[in-house]
Amino acid sequence: MAQQSTGLLPTPFTLRSAHSISLFFIKSIASSSTPEEFQEPSIDHQLLSVLSRPNWQKHPSLNTLIPSLSPSYLSFFFSRNPNVNPHTAISFFDYLSSRNAPSFKPNVQSYAPLLRILISNNLFRVAERTRLSMIKSCETRDDAVFVMGLVREMNRCDDDRSRFKLNVWAYNTLLMCLSRFVMIEDMKCVYAEMLSDMIKPDIYTFNTMINAYCKLGNVVEADFYLSKILQAGLNPDTHTYTSFVLGHCRRKDVNSAFKVFKEMPKKDCRRNVVSYNNLIHGLCEARRIDEAMELFLGMVDDGCCPNVRSYTILIDALCGLDRREEALRLFDEMKEKGCEPNVHTYTVLIDGLCKDFKLDEARGLLNVMSEKGLVPNVVTFNALIDGYCKKGLVDVALDVFDTMESNNCIPNVRTYNELISGFCMIKKVHKAMALLDKMLERKLSPSDVTFNLLIHGQCKEGEIGSAFRLLRLMEENDLAPDEWTYCTLVDGLCERGRVEEASTIFSSMKEKGIKVNVAMYTALIDGYCKAEKADFALTLFKKMIEEGCAPNARTYNVLINGLCKQGKQLEGARLLEMMPGSGVKPTIESYSILIEQLLRESAFGQAYKVFHLMVSMGHKPDVCIYTSFLVAYYNEEKLKEAEDVMDKMAEAGVMPDLMAYTVMIDGYGRAGLLNRAFDMLKFMFDAGHEPSQYTYSILIKHLSQGRLDLKTEASFINIADVWKVVKYETLLELFDKMMEHRCPLNTNTFSSLTTGLCREGRLEEASRLLDHMQSCGISPGEDIYTSMVNCCCKLKMYEDAARFLDSMLTQGFLPRLESYKLLVCGLYDDGNNEKAKKTFFRLLGCGYNNDEVAWKLLIDGLLKRGLVDRCLELLDIMEKNRFRLSAHTYSLLLEGLDRNNK
């Protein structure tokens, strides 16, 4: 709704607040309780001595004094020496403000005492120039408030020697300054004072007021000032109409903006590049990009040459609509036409390339920026960091983060949120939590997004307790949990089979005033389905519809899947039939669930009927559908039919994924065709897929089948038992077969095997594998070290665990807190208290989040074992070394201590 005019009288609050701030600064300048650096009489004496000389610019002492002269010092110097020669004072101020003192940049406060010296000496013309410079130098809203208070005080001063009246040019400059910071109420006050001073507003005054309101889309208020232009007998000009084009665009009324734009020539008012840019931007915001392009192409015929902003607006819009190839062509065109891209142009393209995961090209553009002397800003770096994090390349994102800091570009909350999201995505929430502390160290307040990401990360790693602790920490930071927060918790509990707890949270949502959304309903329905409570899920589904929350495709899919898993395929099929009538289009997954269930029952005919129905509905079968058929045929030992499915995949242009390759490897292994299985492994590597631990389990199972002594061992190995029975010689045979088929042995290979062995406590074989890895010139990764540490702790070999942990730290890896918990608690259990304390002290220096250290080691570790004294011992170490904990964590510790003392 357009804002109605509220008149032109200044509000008492605005005037009082501005005036009091002004007085505060003025009094502080004259105060005797100045900081120590401003109470150096020797510097004052030297400076006065230099400035008293006719050719002070050439005085040999000047260059030694300049580094000590900050804007604040100069303010105090002029305040303490009001009788300094005014011509010398202004010359010296200008001298410092020029290139003669690169480190000196005048701030608004530094002008105040200089103005007083000039005014008291009746140098009004110089004072006018100085006042305008001061107003124009405002860099923040606080600067503008200070300046406004100061010039008002001088304008109203009763003392003739201090009065300095504002003229129309000064008023206009002040209004433009306030407009820059969208300080509308203050502008109204200044305008009212201008009228009360009998200063006649001119076209610049009115245009400034109109532009300020149009920036906010408030064309009703802007019209008020347009009427004032006409009443004053003035003519609206290009700036007037261009502001109205902007105003209509800001209120999403592009058609009205177009109308104003077309009227301009009829009013004998020439359109300029800003007029075009405002309308082009408005069209792009309305996603009318083709109209914007047409307007852009007509600029030259209208005598306007597109500038860097014209191009950048269109490039940004094209990238936002996934038309990045067109954006790149426009980028090339702008360079060809001699219009040099600016930082914003490069940032838009870098962001677009990152969204396409063309990260090398994006990084290349960053380098081009540097070569051209353009300084990337925080938005530029954030785009790259986000791109790498979404690709799972968080280490590369951290390199970009380091580059950012080395370029003196200060990270913001979004920077940290993107890194936190990246670490959570690769299941390294302990590193994400460490970033929370770094944010606080930099005085950056975590946002609700920060906490939601961390809660999601903890839930994905199964750390539900820590997720709830973060919820309390979020509230302690005066942030309100939202729908996403609770949806994540509900989903996390359901994933862990704690569906009743999830249901309790779900039921409490209305009491908290939080609307239950489709994602929450879906998460809980899925939880009931996984708990084999399909009836509960159906009841919730019906309640959801009754309460006006429309199910989406995902809701239907989880319910269909739950019904099929409980053998209720007919009910699942009926739900699938219901979807179109409910306005929800079935997805590939909807059909895939039914197909997979039918294939499990070897109902190939019915499965193909559903398959053909899916195709008739316009869905192209994906890799998951084909993989379901592969699994079914291999389980039936129908190798020929499985190969036919592979041929159909190739014909359809569907590339196998990790699971599809693994299924094919298993199929060939079952048929005793090991060489073909390893050929498929080679295809898998060539396609860019890294085998999973399950893939290696399959290969080892089939290799082991031929090596078993049937008198002592079972003739068939269950896949779950592979790591219990596999012999080291079989692993060496796996390596030989991989090399024979030109499959690379890499960190992932050894990590998968080591993790499997360590999980079964087979430390000796895992250690031999680690030695073999290093003999191949491959360095162990973080996962291998973690597996070795945890395995040693499981076997109560704590000294060995400590050695692996030390190696891990030496290699630059940050161990998981779970590993530290196992080691510290184990050392205490073993009676090695000093070693436990030293280990704990060392972890404190690794940069973990302090609260998480307390949660994982003190509360979940020591207190759960009843080791109260040990807990207090380590808490004392934290406090003595100033590792502060939140109030919430302290209350958790107290609760834990109370429970143990009962």
Side-chain angles (χ1 to χ4, degrees):
M1 184 182 293
Q3 185 179 332
Q4 297 299 313
S5 175
T6 54
L8 300 171
L9 292 175
T11 60
F13 172 79
T14 308
L15 285 171
R16 277 203 305 271
S17 59
H19 186 61
S20 62
I21 291 171
S22 170
L23 286 177
F24 168 77
F25 278 112
I26 293 164
K27 287 175 182 176
S28 67
I29 288 170
S31 171
S32 60
S33 57
T34 56
E36 191 176 327
E37 63 176 298
F38 303 135
Q39 295 178 346
E40 291 286 347
S42 59
I43 296 178
D44 271 19
H45 179 75
Q46 290 177 62
L47 190 55
L48 278 170
S49 176
V50 169
L51 295 179
S52 64
R53 298 172 186 270
N55 295 319
W56 56 265
Q57 295 95 331
K58 297 178 182 179
H59 196 284
S61 300
L62 187 60
N63 288 335
T64 58
L65 283 171
I66 282 176
S68 305
L69 306 182
S70 67
S72 299
Y73 171 78
L74 197 64
S75 297
F76 283 96
F77 173 78
F78 285 143
S79 297
R80 285 198 297 264
N81 298 282
N83 297 320
V84 69
N85 184 299
H87 296 286
T88 303
I90 188 63
S91 297
F92 183 55
F93 189 90
D94 290 342
Y95 177 87
L96 289 176
S97 303
S98 68
R99 294 180 182 177
N100 293 297
S103 61
F104 185 93
K105 184 182 178 184
N107 54 30
V108 291
Q109 289 81 19
S110 61
Y111 285 94
L114 175 62
L115 266 175
R116 295 193 178 282
I117 290 170
L118 295 172
I119 294 164
S120 63
N121 284 279
N122 298 320
L123 295 177
F124 295 112
R125 184 170 292 180
V126 181
E128 176 60 33
R129 175 173 64 84
T130 303
R131 178 169 62 187
L132 293 176
S133 295
M134 176 181 70
I135 297 169
K136 290 175 183 177
S137 72
C138 291
E139 292 186 345
T140 65
R141 194 181 181 92
D142 286 343
D143 286 350
V145 169
F146 170 79
V147 166
M148 182 168 55
L150 181 63
V151 298
R152 276 172 164 170
E153 190 217 5
M154 290 179 170
N155 195 47
R156 295 276 179 257
C157 187
D158 294 330
D159 181 0
D160 288 341
R161 285 179 56 81
S162 299
R163 186 186 301 131
F164 188 34
K165 297 291 288 182
L166 287 158
N167 56 25
V168 68
W169 189 242
Y171 268 118
N172 286 345
T173 307
L174 181 58
L175 286 170
M176 281 187 266
C177 169
L178 296 171
S179 175
R180 191 149 41 99
F181 302 107
V182 201
M183 297 167 68
I184 293 290
E185 291 303 315
D186 292 297
M187 289 181 71
K188 286 169 68 175
C189 292
V190 170
Y191 179 80
E193 289 170 12
M194 185 178 183
L195 296 180
S196 68
D197 273 353
M198 306 300 289
I199 302 291
K200 188 177 180 182
D202 59 14
I203 189 67
Y204 299 106
T205 315
F206 295 122
N207 277 345
T208 303
M209 298 301 293
I210 287 168
N211 185 253
Y213 279 107
C214 284
K215 281 179 186 175
L216 298 173
N218 190 347
V219 292
V220 173
E221 202 74 53
D223 273 329
F224 172 81
Y225 291 96
L226 176 61
S227 69
K228 292 293 180 184
I229 292 177
L230 301 174
Q231 288 171 21
L234 301 169
N235 291 319
D237 60 11
T238 297
H239 187 77
T240 317
Y241 289 113
T242 297
S243 292
F244 275 100
V245 170
L246 173 68
H248 287 299
C249 288
R250 286 281 166 91
R251 63 195 296 262
K252 313 295 183 191
D253 185 1
V254 186
N255 292 334
S256 293
F258 233 133
K259 187 177 177 182
V260 173
F261 183 81
K262 287 176 180 176
E263 286 290 316
M264 288 176 73
K266 296 175 187 175
K267 301 284 186 182
D268 215 17
C269 190
R270 186 178 180 81
R271 296 184 288 227
N272 62 17
V273 68
V274 181
S275 317
Y276 272 95
N277 287 348
N278 285 346
L279 187 52
I280 288 169
H281 189 262
L283 288 164
C284 289
E285 287 275 293
R287 301 178 77 82
R288 291 160 63 175
I289 182 70
D290 294 323
E291 291 175 70
M293 285 294 293
E294 189 179 336
L295 193 66
F296 171 79
L297 294 171
M299 285 179 74
V300 175
D301 293 338
D302 198 18
C304 285
C305 185
N307 62 12
V308 64
R309 175 156 169 75
S310 317
Y311 281 102
T312 303
I313 291 166
L314 288 166
I315 289 168
D316 190 13
L318 288 166
C319 286
L321 293 170
D322 293 332
R323 292 164 63 175
R324 282 181 266 277
E325 291 301 322
E326 293 173 70
L328 285 166
R329 283 197 295 272
L330 199 58
F331 179 71
D332 291 335
E333 178 193 304
M334 94 185 266
K335 291 187 292 182
E336 286 167 13
K337 292 191 174 178
C339 184
E340 278 299 314
N342 61 16
V343 171
H344 184 48
T345 320
Y346 278 104
T347 300
V348 163
L349 268 180
I350 286 169
D351 185 51
L353 289 167
C354 287
K355 284 184 169 64
D356 277 346
F357 295 116
K358 294 178 179 177
L359 300 172
D360 291 339
E361 291 177 50
R363 192 71 178 266
L365 275 182
L366 186 71
N367 296 334
V368 170
M369 285 181 73
S370 301
E371 288 165 12
K372 289 183 175 289
L374 294 171
V375 181
N377 59 30
V378 66
V379 183
T380 320
F381 283 111
N382 283 352
L384 259 180
I385 288 169
D386 188 46
Y388 281 118
C389 285
K390 281 188 167 64
K391 194 72 173 173
L393 302 170
V394 190
D395 289 339
V396 186
L398 284 172
D399 288 339
V400 176
F401 181 82
D402 292 340
T403 305
M404 179 181 189
E405 294 202 300
S406 65
N407 278 271
N408 296 318
C409 183
I410 307 300
N412 59 16
V413 172
R414 183 166 181 173
T415 317
Y416 282 99
N417 285 349
E418 283 162 356
L419 286 168
I420 285 168
S421 177
F423 277 125
C424 290
M425 192 178 82
I426 61 172
K427 296 190 175 179
K428 291 184 178 176
V429 74
H430 60 299
K431 292 188 177 182
M433 289 291 292
L435 288 171
L436 184 61
D437 273 356
K438 293 200 181 299
M439 286 180 75
L440 297 171
E441 283 170 20
R442 287 177 177 259
K443 311 296 182 193
L444 285 172
S445 299
S447 65
D448 53 349
V449 175
T450 313
F451 281 102
N452 281 339
L453 287 168
L454 289 168
I455 288 168
H456 185 260
Q458 295 284 6
C459 285
K460 283 296 174 188
E461 291 198 25
E463 298 288 348
I464 307 297
S466 292
F468 276 98
R469 290 161 184 159
L470 275 167
L471 177 68
R472 300 286 94 81
L473 205 59
M474 183 180 188
E475 292 167 338
E476 193 177 296
N477 279 267
D478 296 322
L479 293 169
D482 56 16
E483 295 172 19
W484 187 28
T485 319
Y486 286 106
C487 186
T488 300
L489 291 166
V490 167
D491 194 37
L493 287 166
C494 288
E495 283 291 322
R496 292 291 169 287
R498 295 162 62 177
V499 69
E500 296 306 324
E501 292 172 69
S503 183
T504 302
I505 290 176
F506 182 86
S507 301
S508 70
M509 300 293 290
K510 287 180 182 176
E511 297 168 20
K512 291 180 167 52
I514 297 171
K515 187 179 178 181
V516 178
N517 60 24
V518 63
M520 289 184 205
Y521 270 111
T522 302
L524 194 55
I525 288 168
D526 193 28
Y528 278 121
C529 287
K530 284 173 179 171
E532 298 184 358
K533 293 181 178 180
D535 291 340
F536 278 86
L538 277 168
T539 302
L540 193 59
F541 179 74
K542 289 171 186 173
K543 182 184 175 186
M544 174 183 187
I545 296 169
E546 286 167 9
E547 293 191 354
C549 185
N552 59 20
R554 166 108 180 110
T555 318
Y556 278 99
N557 290 346
V558 298
L559 193 50
I560 291 167
N561 189 48
L563 290 167
C564 286
K565 289 275 172 67
Q566 287 191 247
K568 298 179 180 180
Q569 290 91 327
L570 284 176
E571 290 180 59
R574 276 197 289 271
L575 268 179
L576 181 62
E577 289 171 8
M578 278 175 53
M579 288 175 74
S582 302
V584 182
K585 186 180 178 181
T587 63
I588 290 178
E589 188 185 355
S590 312
Y591 295 102
S592 178
I593 292 162
L594 273 176
I595 289 169
E596 187 178 338
Q597 187 59 36
L598 290 166
L599 289 173
R600 279 201 190 103
E601 297 171 6
S602 300
F604 288 94
Q606 287 177 276
Y608 272 112
K609 280 183 183 177
V610 178
F611 179 88
H612 293 308
L613 174 63
M614 177 190 74
V615 173
S616 71
M617 295 298 290
H619 290 294
K620 183 182 176 183
D622 65 2
V623 66
C624 296
I625 300 275
Y626 285 112
T627 302
S628 296
F629 279 99
L630 286 173
V631 171
Y633 281 127
Y634 281 131
N635 285 340
E636 296 279 324
E637 297 184 1
K638 295 179 177 179
L639 194 59
K640 171 68 172 62
E641 287 83 348
E643 288 179 334
D644 288 342
V645 172
M646 287 159 60
D647 291 339
K648 285 176 184 173
M649 281 177 73
E651 287 169 17
V654 177
M655 295 298 295
D657 62 4
L658 172 64
M659 189 62 197
Y661 278 114
T662 302
V663 167
M664 290 187 270
I665 288 167
D666 191 26
Y668 284 125
R670 289 185 191 189
L673 302 171
L674 271 180
N675 282 330
R676 293 186 70 175
F678 278 94
D679 285 338
M680 196 56 65
L681 182 68
K682 177 65 167 64
F683 291 146
M684 185 180 194
F685 275 112
D686 291 344
H689 295 293
E690 281 288 340
S692 65
Q693 189 181 92
Y694 181 72
T695 312
Y696 285 115
S697 300
I698 294 288
L699 287 165
I700 291 167
K701 181 184 86 167
H702 293 305
L703 282 170
S704 299
Q705 293 295 142
R707 298 180 57 87
L708 292 175
D709 180 353
L710 298 183
K711 294 177 182 176
T712 58
E713 298 182 67
S715 59
F716 182 79
I717 302 175
N718 189 300
I719 196 69
D721 297 327
V722 162
W723 303 105
K724 293 177 184 175
V725 300
V726 63
K727 296 178 179 177
Y728 184 72
E729 290 74 22
T730 305
L731 299 180
L732 295 179
E733 186 183 350
L734 171 70
F735 298 153
D736 290 341
K737 293 290 284 184
M738 287 178 69
M739 292 173 71
E740 180 187 327
H741 289 264
R742 302 189 308 284
C743 298
L745 291 178
N746 57 23
T747 306
N748 177 66
T749 309
F750 286 99
S751 179
S752 296
L753 304 182
T754 306
T755 304
L757 292 167
C758 286
R759 194 169 56 241
E760 299 301 330
R762 298 182 65 183
L763 185 63
E764 183 183 343
E765 289 85 351
S767 298
R768 289 176 70 185
L769 200 59
L770 185 58
D771 291 339
H772 185 77
M773 177 184 188
Q774 290 170 322
S775 70
C776 293
I778 302 172
S779 299
E782 185 177 323
D783 291 342
I784 291 178
Y785 280 118
T786 300
S787 295
M788 299 298 283
V789 171
N790 294 355
C791 184
C792 288
C793 289
K794 184 178 180 180
L795 299 172
K796 299 187 178 182
M797 298 169 64
Y798 300 114
E799 291 294 334
D800 293 299
R803 279 195 294 274
F804 279 120
L805 202 74
D806 287 343
S807 298
M808 195 173 185
L809 290 167
T810 304
Q811 294 295 318
F813 298 122
L814 187 68
R816 293 176 184 269
L817 284 171
E818 180 65 23
S819 300
Y820 267 117
K821 181 179 84 172
L822 292 171
L823 180 54
V824 170
C825 292
L827 288 167
Y828 274 128
D829 287 341
D830 217 30
N832 198 341
N833 296 359
E834 287 307 309
K835 181 76 172 176
K837 283 192 284 186
K838 284 180 183 175
T839 303
F840 182 77
F841 184 77
R842 186 170 184 186
L843 87 84
L844 291 177
C846 293
Y848 294 98
N849 175 266
N850 299 333
D851 287 301
E852 195 180 27
V853 169
W855 301 342
K856 297 283 175 71
L857 272 82
L858 305 186
I859 298 171
D860 294 345
L862 297 172
L863 286 182
K864 276 193 177 178
R865 287 168 169 77
L867 301 173
V868 175
D869 291 342
R870 304 307 173 210
C871 174
L872 291 170
E873 191 172 62
L874 298 189
L875 180 60
D876 188 50
I877 289 173
M878 290 188 81
E879 290 179 333
K880 281 180 177 175
N881 288 277
R882 297 184 179 180
F883 289 97
R884 302 295 178 212
L885 301 174
S886 68
H888 171 60
T889 301
Y890 271 114
S891 68
L892 288 174
L893 281 164
L894 287 171
E895 287 171 18
L897 291 166
D898 285 344
R899 278 196 302 271
N900 277 277
N901 286 329
K902 286 178 181 177

